[in-house]
Amino acid sequence: MAGAAEPEAVASVARLNEVSVHPVVLFSVLDHYMRRNERQERVIGALLGKRVGKTVDITNCFSVPHMEKVDGEVAVGKEHMHSMLELHLRVNDDEDVVGWYATSDGISSIDEQSCLIHDFFTAECADPIHLVVDTSLTNRHLGVKAFLSTPLVLGDRNLAASFQQLKVNVLASGAEKIGLDMMIKSPAMPGAPAALNSSMDDLEETLTTLLDMLEKVSGYVGDVVAGKTQPNYTIGNNIANVVSMVPRIKPEFFAKSFNNSLHDLLMVVYLSNLTRTQIAIAEKINGI
């Protein structure tokens, strides 16, 4: 009897094997936890995103009010969740409910109340992901875990639910990377403003990063050709794909095109500054 239930459990876990979480989701969870009620030990919310093959991409979330009683009962704000979901779908209809999150004290990730809340979200989506964020910051580390529930069946009866841990990756978009870099470079003093880089500073930093990456790739290829490093075919295929995407342009033609584009850009900047100056002069004259 028990052996017959094992293939079902394995198939459930095989449907999903990886979870990608965007930084904005983690910040939203932490903000929700910081704004919780005084006697509330943890907070929960709905996770939004989409499923791509065996991977779940979590791109957004929102809080869901709930109450846990001493006797083990759990009350979840179903109407609030549906109202928030409707508002989110008006902005981005590509996101669906893919699971729910909860904060943890670092001691226990899942308890009996978690199973009851998970049953609630099972009615909202198929195979909901349970994301646990450790807000205790043990060793100054933000622990993030993802679980997928699999029912333990004995015959026709569901005995319990087994939570299988999944691999979690923090995936940041280009805009999120810029925000994270600004947070890292900002002063450590609370409330101190972060200075934004100018366009030229951003361009210089981007080109410096690109140059460093090209030097690393060139050094790796040189070591492989010289026999100092064992070749990695995956890295080789990636390098070949990147090189094939670069158009073949003669150096003199590229320099001419670059100079023409640069001249056009400088002309736009000059006209913008001239217009700004004329507007400022006109305002001064009208104010006399």
Side-chain angles (χ1 to χ4, degrees):
M1 298 292 287
E6 185 176 355
E8 181 179 354
V10 175
S12 178
V13 178
R15 286 196 294 266
L16 299 172
N17 55 17
E18 188 174 347
V19 175
S20 297
V21 183
H22 286 250
V24 65
V25 176
L26 301 179
F27 289 137
S28 298
V29 174
L30 294 177
D31 180 71
H32 184 197
Y33 179 77
M34 294 298 294
R35 299 174 184 270
R36 72 190 187 282
N37 296 331
E38 183 177 356
R39 297 183 179 180
Q40 193 173 9
E41 296 183 357
R42 67 174 177 177
V43 296
I44 69 170
L47 298 174
L48 301 177
K50 56 185 178 180
R51 300 170 185 259
V52 182
K54 295 183 179 181
T55 302
V56 176
D57 188 19
I58 304 175
T59 56
N60 208 340
C61 68
F62 60 85
S63 61
V64 175
H66 84 295
M67 182 175 59
E68 301 180 23
K69 299 182 180 179
V70 181
D71 56 1
E73 294 184 3
V74 178
V76 181
K78 184 176 181 180
E79 295 182 358
H80 174 85
M81 173 182 168
H82 290 167
S83 299
M84 289 295 297
L85 179 60
E86 182 180 358
L87 294 175
H88 274 273
L89 292 179
R90 292 181 183 179
V91 179
N92 190 354
D93 56 0
D94 292 335
E95 296 178 341
D96 295 319
V97 177
V98 294
W100 64 289
Y101 70 81
T103 56
S104 171
D105 56 2
I107 300 176
S108 60
S109 300
I110 300 175
D111 52 17
E112 296 181 1
Q113 286 78 12
S114 300
C115 298
L116 298 176
I117 300 174
H118 195 82
D119 291 339
F120 168 80
F121 281 92
T122 302
E124 302 295 332
C125 64
D127 294 333
I129 296 296
H130 178 28
L131 189 73
V132 180
V133 180
D134 180 14
T135 53
S136 63
L137 298 180
T138 305
N139 297 327
R140 301 180 63 85
H141 174 72
L142 180 65
V144 181
K145 299 180 181 178
F147 299 91
L148 179 65
S149 174
T150 303
L152 299 179
V153 181
L154 181 60
D156 297 334
R157 298 175 56 189
N158 291 335
L159 299 180
S162 174
F163 286 86
Q164 305 291 334
Q165 187 169 351
L166 304 178
K167 180 182 178 181
V168 178
N169 292 324
V170 178
L171 181 64
S173 62
E176 290 172 332
K177 289 181 180 178
I178 294 175
L180 291 175
D181 291 339
M182 289 302 303
M183 294 178 62
I184 295 174
K185 296 177 182 179
S186 62
M189 297 178 58
L196 296 177
N197 294 334
S198 63
S199 299
M200 293 302 298
D201 292 336
D202 291 336
L203 178 60
E204 182 181 0
E205 184 177 353
T206 302
L207 293 177
T208 301
T209 303
L210 178 60
L211 181 60
D212 292 339
M213 296 174 63
L214 291 175
E215 290 178 351
K216 290 181 181 179
V217 172
S218 177
Y220 171 78
V221 173
D223 292 340
V224 171
V225 173
K228 299 179 181 179
T229 304
Q230 291 294 330
N232 187 311
Y233 297 103
T234 301
I235 298 178
N237 290 332
N238 293 334
I239 295 176
N241 293 333
V242 172
V243 173
S244 63
M245 295 174 62
V246 179
R248 296 184 178 181
I249 303 177
K250 294 182 178 180
E252 56 274 11
F253 179 77
F254 175 78
K256 183 179 179 180
S257 301
F258 179 80
N259 290 330
N260 291 336
S261 300
L262 182 60
H263 292 163
D264 295 339
L265 179 60
L266 293 176
M267 179 61 68
V268 172
V269 173
Y270 170 74
L271 294 177
S272 299
N273 294 333
L274 182 61
T275 304
R276 188 182 300 110
T277 303
Q278 291 179 346
I279 293 175
I281 294 174
E283 290 178 351
K284 292 291 186 181
I285 295 175
N286 293 331
I288 297 175

